[in-house]
Amino acid sequence: MSGQSLFPRLEPLLPRVRKPVRYLGGEGNSQVKPWDDALVRWCLMYPDAYEVGLPNQGVQILYEILNEQPDVLAERTYSVWSDLEELLREHGIPQFTVDAHRAVGDFDLLGVSFATELGYTNLLTALDLAGIPLYATDRDERHPIVIAGGHAAFNPEPITAFVDAVVLGDGEQAVLEITDVVRAFKTAARPGGRTELLMRLARRGLVYVPSFYDVDYRPDGRIRAVTPNRPGVPARPAKHTVSNLDAWPYPKAPLVPLAETVHERMSVEIFRGCTRGCRFCQAGMITRPVRERSIDTIGEMVAQGLAASGFTEVGLLSLSSADHTEIGEIAKGLADRYEGTHTSLSLPSTRVDAFNVTLANEFSRNGRRSGLTFAPEGGSERLRRVINKMVSEEDLIRTVSTAYAQGWRQVKLYFMCGLPTETDEDVLAIAGLAREVIRAGRRASGHRDIRCTVSIGGFVPKAHTPFQWAAQASHEVTDARLRLLRDAIRGDREVGRAIGFRYHDGRPGMIEGLLARGDRRVGAVIERVWRDGGRFDGWSEHFSFERWEKACVEVLEPLGVSLDWFTTRERDEREVLPWDHLDSGLDRDWLWSDWQEALRGAELDDCRWTPCYDCGVCPTMGTQTQIGPTGRILLPLVSTGPSRPGGSSGPSGSGSPGRSADAAAS
Amino acid sequence: MPRRPEGPPPPPVVARVRVRFAKRGRLRFLSHRDVARTFERALRRADVPMAYSAGFSPHPRISWLGAAPTGAASEAEYVELALADHRQPRALGEVLDAALPAGLDVVACAPATATPLAELVDASHWWIRLPGVAPTALAAAVEALLARDLVEVERVTKDGHRRFDARQAVVLMVCRAENDTCAILDTVVRHTTPAVRPDDMLTALCVVAGLRPSVPPEPLRLGQGRLLADGTVADPLMPDRDDAERLVGRIDA
């Protein structure tokens, strides 16, 4: 019988695995709905270990939106660790959800969120454990529709054999529209079967169905064309854009795990999209335009989320949080509201700007000032112009001086290695920058007890960015430059001991590069690696470069292409890229001209404050930048007396809060 | 200059309450850290006026008693909460229970007494279900164990292997039968250093009699507290019984 709990069979295995708490479910604000009452049943997956997947905002948002529908049920599943995978196979227990421990294969839809390409092998494990055929072409009416989403899905070509459909962009509305189509299809007794359902979804522009498109290759291995193989489907499936984030204030009730996870806090997304125009940044390119949440909604989500979760920390998320037009008012308002309540606020992703130190001070009024993080990304001014990260050395020194003077003890600086046009000198400039940071910090703080950590990783070119045509630096080049930098920092007698250096081996980046810019032929590499035991490729203890290299030789070279062909080869303007038929709204000609501007070292301003530079997104998608200021402020929360501050979930929809907390004051 | 926290010191502790709670069902797989984290969040949701430590990263003042191991259920876990404001213990227990997930259940809540909680607890009563083990086999193993004065067991800790005696801690050990294929090890164990845990007792039974359950055992802590003369343990939240009743020697089953 479908929908039954597998827990009685799973339970005896749990004492035999590491961290059984990963598989229990029972998180605060999680839901178990009756199977038979639901007409459409979604299983949502984050393809990594529970502790990584649980905090994922995308999954939490969709989970809550779907479960609010009376005739819809949504449960979650995560990758099982290898010890449990072995036991599940031995005992014939399928991949299960953590909510009601139901078999994933029993659901109508399996939605998998890919934040990173390194989750692809884990998708295969889950499908296989679920009893779902690996290839979409082998599935029939008994199997769930497998849908990929998330940022990595903007080039889903390497996994097209394994998924039925792909959703591009924001999922909030898309997931409900897909549900509507599935509901109507099931109510009508599934006319035309699986293909007809996919056709209905494709025709309405909700999803990209890879099997409805054929790829032709040239004799030299490049793609000739990607064309629809049937009438009625869009030539270029487009991304979804939610245009009013205030109407979608999710998650309202964040999941509160019993287990320890990678983020022990709740998150409130304060805006989506970024138009800073950093040329390496896929997230900034594919999530345009900027759409702010208003200060009132942010205040309400923080209050409601804290009351419903008991978390002690709130992260204000976005791609560059200090860019919110009212971030100063938000920071002050929240710091005032929660002063003395042992609630801490954090602002990940801030730019190099002295104003951000002021914000950070606000957020740590009476707390420890341990570390501040900034991301100049490139070591030299020239390279920062190439990547359009407009930070001068002067800005950085001024910013860190302010931070050290105000009691911050440690500054962390993020950089990338292997950026287009980069030379050894560009990377060595990082050592010089770090030296100046320490000198400035010692001057500003008046003592020597300060530190700076340089954290650096290899750059991976991504689809839908100006660098999509660039040659990725080989791991040999990246590793050699990182060694040079390490030696330069360690050899500095004056400041070497005050500078920490953290870097990553360049090899996983090559595989990420293969998967990020690969085409359908790469699917067989993923399958080969998985059959050879590849799992959890984002985990250094599991990742095997040799396994991937071997599979590339075996699978790709007979086709006249290779790992290098996909990664270290620069593409020319006319080459058909594997994702060109997927519409992120960005105008290809603009991307190309921005790539040429990059090579010339020309900077580009943010379109929020300067005229539009025609990236193409707004006219193509019918969207526009939505920013404040609203002129409103956050008032103190009014106490509700001795009763508990709403442990139950708050008001539904975008209705007014129970407390008169967010009144306009302008 | 290093910064110091501004403002007045945290409010003083005005009351302490002790909570007895159970760890039941699937939540027996929670580790102590999982329980502690879940408890702290429930205290915030329930708006319990906790007292906090001073310094840059203040923590709610919660004192834990040795926790049941991951995988072991318990009807008798104890924790002491320091409060910055007065609350009726019974009402506090009710709101806390409502805020905790089902499976972490408040059993009782009482004002703290002068005697520190740790001094009111020196033994645990375990009820270990052994599916797949015949009661006759367990009875023989228990007899073999009790016949010895010392049974060394080895445990893997994060510092490597550690060998210690598991016999001296055993105050009482009885074999019970659920049915022909499910035995129950009913035992009272003194708290020693290192603590002799259910898996150590099972290792000891394996050492002396080769007992190896094929199905994972299901340990349940029924009670912990002061060991009494009759081999039972006294609930530390109950009013102190006369010290004369306390056990001095050791009794064997």
Side-chain angles (χ1 to χ4, degrees), chain B residues 17 19 43 46 48-49 81 83 85 87-97 106 109:
Chain B
V17 294
V19 180
L43 288 166
V48 173
L81 310 175
L83 304 182
D85 197 1
R87 284 289 182 275
Q88 275 287 336
R90 179 190 287 271
L92 189 154
E94 279 169 12
V95 291
L96 180 58
D97 187 49
V106 173
C109 191

Side-chain angles (χ1 to χ4, degrees), chain A residues 7 11-12 14-15 21 24 101 256-260 264 308-312 341-343 365-369 645, chain B residues 1-3 5-6 26-30 33-34 37-38 41 44-47 52 56-58 95 98-99 101 216:
Chain A
F7 198 74
E11 194 170 14
L14 293 182
V21 66
L24 299 183
H101 299 91
V256 188
L258 303 169
E260 185 173 13
E264 292 285 290
S309 68
F311 281 122
T312 54
T341 64
H342 307 288
T343 306
R365 273 186 200 171
N366 209 27
R368 199 202 316 259
R369 288 187 182 165
Chain B
M1 278 306 287
R3 292 171 65 245
E6 295 153 21
R26 65 184 62 161
L27 294 205
R28 72 181 185 277
F29 292 110
L30 265 56
R33 280 158 53 83
D34 298 330
R37 190 182 315 107
T38 302
R41 288 174 184 159
R44 285 177 70 92
R45 287 195 300 271
D47 219 8
Y52 278 75
F56 272 129
S57 54
V95 291

Side-chain angles (χ1 to χ4, degrees), chain A residues 488-505:
Chain A
I489 289 175
R490 294 217 176 128
D492 191 321
R493 293 228 178 128
E494 182 196 340
V495 297
R497 296 182 62 170
I499 302 173
F501 184 57
R502 299 177 47 144
Y503 63 101
H504 301 285
D505 163 23

Side-chain angles (χ1 to χ4, degrees), chain A residues 17-33:
Chain A
V17 303
R18 280 178 60 195
K19 302 191 191 169
V21 66
R22 285 168 169 164
Y23 311 110
L24 299 183
E27 301 87 353
N29 302 315
S30 63
Q31 304 188 42
V32 172
K33 295 173 83 172

Side-chain angles (χ1 to χ4, degrees), chain A residues 81-137:
Chain A
W81 201 249
S82 36
D83 54 356
L84 185 60
E85 181 190 344
E86 207 171 295
L87 286 171
L88 293 182
R89 290 184 189 286
E90 185 187 325
H91 293 265
I93 301 174
Q95 177 85 23
F96 55 87
T97 62
V98 296
D99 299 281
H101 299 91
R102 288 164 171 148
V104 168
D106 286 352
F107 287 75
D108 298 313
L109 300 122
L110 171 61
V112 189
S113 178
F114 291 102
T116 152
E117 297 81 1
L118 295 175
Y120 291 162
T121 48
N122 284 357
L123 167 70
L124 299 195
T125 309
L127 292 174
D128 188 52
L129 283 175
I132 302 170
L134 288 192
Y135 296 131
T137 47

Side-chain angles (χ1 to χ4, degrees), chain A residues 461 470-476 507 510-511 513-514 517 522 545 548-549 552-553 556-557 560-571 575:
Chain A
Q472 182 174 352
S474 72
H475 62 93
E476 289 92 347
R507 297 187 305 172
M510 298 306 292
I511 302 311
L514 168 75
R517 291 195 295 169
V522 173
F545 184 67
W548 281 95
E549 214 175 18
C552 284
V553 170
L556 298 179
E557 298 196 354
V561 291
S562 65
L563 176 58
D564 284 345
W565 191 87
F566 280 105
T567 52
T568 58
R569 180 178 65 93
E570 184 170 336
R571 281 74 157 167
E575 177 167 345

